[in-house]
Amino acid sequence: QQHAAAGAPHRGLGGRGPGDPRHPHHQPIHQPPHQPIHQQHTGNVGTSLYMSREQEAGKGYDFKVDVFSTGLVALELVCSPFATQMERYVTLRDVRESVFPEGTHPHAAALVRWLTAAQPSRRPTAREAMKAVELWLEAAAAARAVAEKETAGGKDGGGGGGGGGQA
């Protein structure tokens, strides 16, 4: 069947489109056979700015690539908003070399450095990272409570000394 307007063969469901193995541009998806689904990975998909070093190098990888990306997203959360997209790009690029924006909280920098370690074996699991964040938040809450207590103690007149009397 010919297309009347273009003179090209019809590429409907029965045609030879790129999904048809007989099509000249057909590219089969290469997945090793008999591999459990949890071990199958996609190749070079996603935003390159968030790719781990092992993905960029085309090496094998595991769930630690997601930990790496999470580290970059965590940095964005503590450093945003960025004034421009270029500032965001430069910041995320620099963090790959452990260079953090001025004023980044030291605990946030330590967490991001851990999540984005160059060697996947040095990155935590998601569970380890969550435990570290929980401990950090608990410590921050305790420090805030102490600071509020100290501030409240100064407001209610504690600190001695009278005054106000006339001589």
Side-chain angles (χ1 to χ4, degrees), residues 132-157:
V133 169
E134 288 170 4
L135 291 172
W136 178 29
L137 292 174
E138 288 172 10
R144 189 171 28 257
V146 168
E148 287 172 359
K149 188 175 182 180
E150 289 175 355
T151 303
K155 286 184 181 176
D156 50 56

Side-chain angles (χ1 to χ4, degrees), residues 9-142:
H10 177 66
R11 298 276 189 243
L13 291 175
R16 289 189 182 188
D20 187 323
R22 299 170 294 173
H23 188 274
H25 299 293
H26 174 71
Q27 302 253 335
I29 297 173
H30 296 286
Q31 288 262 352
H34 311 295
Q35 192 176 28
I37 191 73
H38 71 278
Q39 293 178 353
Q40 296 177 12
H41 302 293
T42 52
N44 289 337
V45 250
T47 307
S48 60
L49 188 57
Y50 295 89
M51 280 188 175
S52 65
R53 290 167 183 85
E54 60 270 26
Q55 283 178 295
E56 290 175 337
K59 296 180 180 176
Y61 61 89
D62 61 12
F63 68 93
K64 297 285 183 102
V65 298
D66 295 324
V67 172
F68 183 93
S69 300
T70 300
L72 295 177
V73 171
L75 180 78
E76 283 186 287
L77 292 172
V78 298
C79 291
S80 341
F82 295 106
T84 65
Q85 286 298 317
M86 181 56 82
E87 179 186 1
R88 178 178 157 267
Y89 171 81
V90 169
T91 299
L92 294 176
R93 181 200 64 199
D94 290 351
V95 165
R96 294 169 165 273
E97 305 304 321
S98 288
V99 176
F100 289 83
E102 188 175 324
T104 303
H105 191 284
H107 292 130
L111 176 65
V112 171
R113 198 173 284 117
W114 188 31
L115 295 171
T116 60
Q119 296 297 320
S121 61
R122 295 182 181 257
R123 292 180 209 144
T125 64
R127 188 177 313 271
E128 291 168 335
M130 285 304 302
K131 184 64 178 171
V133 169
E134 288 170 4
L135 291 172
W136 178 29
L137 292 174
E138 288 172 10

